[in-house]
Amino acid sequence: MVWSLQKTPELTDLQFEQWNKLLEERTGIQVSAHQRSFLQLQIAGRMRELGIKYFSEYFNQVSSGLQGMVEWSILVDRLVVKETSFFRHRDSIESIRQLVQNRINNQDMTESFEVWSLGCATGEEPYSLAMVINDCFELAGLEPYYGITATDISQPSLQSAREGMYGKRKLEPVTAEERARYFKTLDETGESYQVSDKLRDRVCFSHGNVMNLGEMPMVKMDVIFCQNVLIYFRRWRRREILNELASRLKPGGMLVIGLGEVVDWTHPELQRLSDERIQAYVRS
Ligand SMILES: C[S@@+](CC[C@H](N)C(=O)[O-])C[C@H]1O[C@@H](n2cnc3c(N)ncnc32)[C@H](O)[C@@H]1O
């Protein structure tokens, strides 16, 4: 029988455990029992493309060797949640505008303003940050002096982020003014847009797994922005990652996470901002 006509194979309990463990070890992401069918569908879909019949055979393939790593990077892109949007949480993004404006007003912008967006998906988050930061420099009549490093585990997302091309609907959260300043239209009908070169030149997209922060060289950051990533991780792991991120901030640097993503975390060198609309911490 042709593979495509066969029923999607079912993961046994043991196989589900195995795949779940592999995914969590490698990405930190935990799949709950009610997401089992999603996991099964994605894995089986990829097996179908490769003509592999058995979960065990595919499991062995992705768990070993260089070829396995290549295959893993294809699969992982299908297993992660990549939902994102421009200005997904406006208040958090606007808190960075405030920080940059204060620095400029206090003439405290002697070095490049460095931002790290972790789990940047297809780029909407780092480009939103770039828009507000760029605004501040331009409004003050200053030459923009900032850089954004944006990392993610998904290679296809990073590729699309680098291109910076988005359909009209994606731009709905962007104001008309922001659209005019920071996007160019790619067709006459106004259906597709590209982020302007002046922003794209400021954002460097790079592959990075939050589970391997030790391999990432970002230090002395002015801002670390990590939203809607840790939510898929176990609580103890979220705290460990945040402790590491705290150490990558400059004094006066700010860590911004998703509101409510971590409830029981404090750090001796960080102080939470009193603004309850955001979850942001400043390093002393
Ligand atoms: C739901 S999206 C959030 C995107 C953006 N931060 C936002 O809030 O709109 C989660 C992103 O985290 C990435 N991700 C998941 N696990 C990761 C890991 N271990 N290391 C790096 N990125 C990861 C996914 O690939 C995905 O692009």
Side-chain angles (χ1 to χ4, degrees):
M1 194 196 281
V2 186
W3 220 97
S4 61
L5 297 178
Q6 289 179 359
K7 241 181 93 204
T8 303
E10 297 247 333
L11 282 169
T12 63
D13 289 350
L14 190 67
Q15 285 169 334
F16 175 63
E17 286 296 314
Q18 269 185 330
W19 278 100
N20 215 349
K21 189 161 167 269
L22 186 71
L23 183 67
E24 189 176 357
E25 274 170 10
R26 291 186 173 184
T27 68
I29 298 168
Q30 243 193 315
V31 176
S32 60
H34 73 271
Q35 292 163 315
R36 179 174 172 153
S37 59
F38 168 79
L39 186 75
Q40 181 175 295
L41 205 69
Q42 297 307 317
I43 299 172
R46 181 60 188 155
M47 283 164 49
R48 189 185 304 254
E49 287 168 15
L50 296 170
I52 296 175
K53 260 182 160 178
Y54 302 106
F55 283 114
S56 54
E57 186 188 342
Y58 186 50
F59 185 85
N60 290 339
Q61 184 173 325
V62 296
S63 342
S64 55
L66 200 61
Q67 194 52 40
M69 290 313 284
V70 175
E71 180 52 33
W72 174 255
S73 79
I74 296 170
L75 180 67
V76 87
D77 174 63
R78 306 197 183 179
L79 300 179
V80 291
V81 178
K82 289 175 285 185
E83 184 193 336
T84 188
S85 56
F86 286 105
F87 297 97
R88 183 166 184 184
H89 189 237
R90 257 278 174 191
D91 291 327
S92 296
I93 303 273
E94 290 298 331
S95 72
I96 307 306
R97 187 194 299 276
Q98 200 56 55
L99 179 69
V100 178
Q101 245 158 20
N102 290 344
R103 293 261 182 103
I104 290 176
N105 293 346
N106 297 334
Q107 298 189 326
D108 187 15
M109 198 58 95
T110 47
E111 294 176 329
S112 172
F113 188 83
E114 290 301 317
V115 178
W116 182 8
S117 157
L118 276 102
C120 63
T122 38
E124 289 87 334
E125 176 180 289
Y127 288 132
S128 303
L129 290 164
M131 283 185 242
V132 297
I133 298 170
N134 206 83
D135 276 356
C136 296
F137 281 99
E138 284 190 2
L139 254 142
L142 296 172
E143 194 57 37
Y145 193 23
Y146 69 95
I148 300 179
T149 306
T151 56
D152 201 280
I153 201 171
S154 158
Q155 295 281 17
S157 295
L158 289 166
Q159 189 47 38
S160 131
R162 285 185 194 105
E163 285 161 9
M165 289 194 254
Y166 303 94
K168 187 169 126 189
R169 288 206 46 201
K170 268 276 174 185
L171 266 68
E172 278 167 12
V174 174
T175 65
E177 203 193 334
E178 284 158 349
R179 181 181 302 201
R181 279 160 78 94
Y182 297 120
F183 291 86
K184 53 187 176 195
T185 41
L186 291 175
D187 57 2
E188 281 160 17
T189 55
E191 287 299 317
S192 77
Y193 292 81
Q194 186 171 34
V195 177
S196 68
D197 292 346
K198 70 175 168 185
L199 292 194
R200 284 174 62 219
D201 288 349
R202 296 275 161 188
V203 189
C204 171
F205 291 97
S206 149
H207 185 255
N209 185 344
V210 177
M211 293 288 281
N212 303 330
L213 285 175
E215 292 172 7
M216 298 197 228
M218 284 63 96
V219 287
K220 297 192 176 165
M221 304 308 296
D222 290 288
V223 171
I224 299 180
F225 209 89
C226 183
Q227 294 201 326
N228 305 302
V229 180
L230 301 181
I231 196 158
Y232 304 104
F233 293 20
R234 287 184 198 272
R235 285 174 177 215
W236 64 264
R237 212 189 288 282
R238 298 181 202 182
R239 290 195 293 267
E240 270 190 3
I241 291 169
L242 290 177
N243 286 338
E244 179 58 28
L245 294 181
S247 76
R248 307 294 187 97
L249 285 172
K250 258 185 195 169
M254 198 155 110
L255 169 66
V256 186
I257 62 175
L259 195 57
E261 258 183 277
V262 178
V263 285
D264 48 2
W265 178 73
T266 55
H267 188 281
E269 286 175 54
L270 298 196
Q271 208 168 11
R272 183 164 174 184
L273 293 188
S274 56
D275 186 343
E276 285 178 359
R277 293 168 304 171
I278 60 174
Q279 193 160 346
Y281 303 81
V282 174
R283 183 165 176 188
S284 48

